[in-house]
Amino acid sequence: MANATIDTSALRHNLGIVRARAQGSRVMAVVKANAYGHGLVPVARALAQADAFAVARVEEGLALRGAGIEQPIVLLEGVFDADQRDAAAASRFDLVVHTAAQIDLLRGAAPASFKVWLKVDTGMNRLGFDPADFAAARTALGALVAVRGPVHSFTHLASADEPCNPATAAQLACFEAATRDLPGERSIANSAALLNLPAALADWVRPGLLLYGASPVPGAVGVEHGLRPAMTLRSQVIAVKRIRSGARVGYGGVWVAARPTTLAVAAIGYGDGYPRSAGAAGAVLLRGRRVPLAGRVSMDMLAIDATDVDPPVRIGEPVVLWGAGLPVEAVAAAAGAIPYELLCGISQRVAVEGR
Ligand SMILES: Cc1ncc(COP(=O)(O)O)c(C=O)c1O
């Protein structure tokens, strides 16, 4: 019953905003995790003007190639065994390389199989070579016949969404020191860096969230950056009931009607990916106006306090969980979550449709 409508013109608009902010850079559109819930292949088709796509898993890249996507496809975590390496070569994927084991794996690949991005860990302490080991890794990688062209340089920022966090300047300085004067392209910026850090734009930017119209900056929403939300998540009212003052609503009975109340029950819950933790502070859009949730979100349903809706709410009316007028960022904030989690968390029960 719940469905997510994807506005493909919003995706293209958002790519235009990214391009305007990073005019000297090429755009690697990040479409991992089913394009943040928006649908991997339809999003890649909508973003045909992107210079490359980035995914986390080999399977995601194969799905893109299977659908006829011809742009470069970058595996952000690289490959982990010979089968993945050979599949990646056959599908012309570009590789991020971040461990010595991955360099060893490439020794067995055919000449000029891969464009490679060598990842330096500038302070996030997740993936990448320690800066002290970066030059040696580069030399080893550059000596392999499997590598096509120069070795390119890549890092990821831990705190780009906090413009004043000194860790970011330290990461940028570390990357600059490790890669200064090296041949090859450089890539640093995710969405937050694209917004906040002109110094991080480099040759390639790697936006994910911005393309979907949401802001990575806590407290901000995408429209403030000129973006349009690409996803509208909807369901509908399946029951309406009047309850007396003092009646308790939902699991645990934690919500108590403070007045005679009209409840509307909508057919969406955490089984669809709507966050259960939004229960206390969440709201939905009914006829374009925000109406508060009443009580805990269930697996398949949630209740809203529709007492002030006039004329009275009726069964079958559409309810918008997020989209234009109710940013996913606001729902995430009410749920103590981030918009990434909500968008990626749409379950397979939700029909995702482009328009
Ligand atoms: C290496 C890398 N680059 C870029 C991105 C895109 O991040 P965002 O959606 O914040 O733009 C991600 C996403 O997690 C990532 O892992």
Side-chain angles (χ1 to χ4, degrees), residues 211-287:
L211 296 173
Y212 308 106
S215 175
V217 181
V221 291
V223 285
E224 293 168 27
H225 313 306
L227 302 166
R228 285 165 43 196
M231 180 190 290
T232 303
L233 181 64
R234 287 192 187 79
S235 189
Q236 66 184 61
V237 174
I238 57 166
V240 176
K241 60 176 62 203
R242 292 276 298 168
I243 60 170
R244 60 178 169 74
S245 180
R248 292 175 176 276
V249 175
Y251 284 117
V254 292
W255 195 90
V256 184
R259 56 182 174 166
T261 295
T262 302
L263 286 178
V265 179
I268 188 162
Y270 62 79
D272 302 280
Y274 188 86
R276 181 175 179 275
S277 47
V284 305
L285 285 185
L286 190 69
R287 298 182 202 153

Side-chain angles (χ1 to χ4, degrees), residues 30 32 36 76 119 126 154 156 190-192 206-210 216 340:
V30 179
K32 60 195 171 111
Y36 293 37
L76 290 172
K119 187 164 187 173
R126 196 176 61 173
F154 190 103
H156 195 48
N190 60 0
S191 290
R206 308 191 305 268
L209 194 68
L210 290 185
Y340 299 82

Side-chain angles (χ1 to χ4, degrees), residues 292-313:
L293 300 188
R296 289 184 181 154
V297 172
S298 311
M299 187 182 295
D300 314 307
M301 287 167 272
L302 51 78
I304 55 183
D305 178 356
T307 313
D308 298 326
V309 174
D310 186 38
V313 61

Side-chain angles (χ1 to χ4, degrees), residues 72-286:
I73 294 174
V74 182
L75 295 183
L76 290 172
E77 295 165 16
V79 288
F80 298 96
D81 59 38
D83 287 347
Q84 290 192 0
R85 176 198 65 204
D86 296 345
S91 288
R92 296 168 281 113
F93 296 158
D94 300 341
L95 302 182
V96 170
V97 172
H98 55 86
T99 64
Q102 289 181 320
I103 297 178
D104 286 341
L105 197 54
L106 295 194
R107 293 186 205 286
S113 295
F114 298 111
K115 172 176 179 175
V116 293
W117 290 94
L118 185 62
K119 187 164 187 173
V120 53
D121 188 342
T122 50
M124 184 157 179
N125 289 314
R126 196 176 61 173
L127 295 185
F129 285 88
D130 190 275
D133 302 325
F134 185 67
R138 212 172 169 281
T139 304
L141 194 55
L144 300 185
V145 294
V147 173
R148 193 175 64 240
V151 174
H152 307 282
S153 301
F154 190 103
T155 198
H156 195 48
L157 300 174
S159 306
D161 56 333
E162 302 166 23
C164 299
N165 190 325
T168 302
Q171 282 199 267
L172 291 176
C174 177
F175 188 71
E176 177 60 25
T179 64
R180 187 181 300 131
D181 299 330
L182 292 180
E185 297 155 4
R186 310 200 309 170
S187 179
I188 309 169
N190 60 0
S191 290
L194 237 153
L195 292 175
N196 291 332
L197 297 166
L201 296 180
D203 298 301
W204 287 83
V205 291
R206 308 191 305 268
L209 194 68
L210 290 185
L211 296 173
Y212 308 106
S215 175
V217 181
V221 291
V223 285
E224 293 168 27
H225 313 306
L227 302 166
R228 285 165 43 196
M231 180 190 290
T232 303
L233 181 64
R234 287 192 187 79
S235 189
Q236 66 184 61
V237 174
I238 57 166
V240 176
K241 60 176 62 203
R242 292 276 298 168
I243 60 170
R244 60 178 169 74
S245 180
R248 292 175 176 276
V249 175
Y251 284 117
V254 292
W255 195 90
V256 184
R259 56 182 174 166
T261 295
T262 302
L263 286 178
V265 179
I268 188 162
Y270 62 79
D272 302 280
Y274 188 86
R276 181 175 179 275
S277 47
V284 305
L285 285 185
L286 190 69

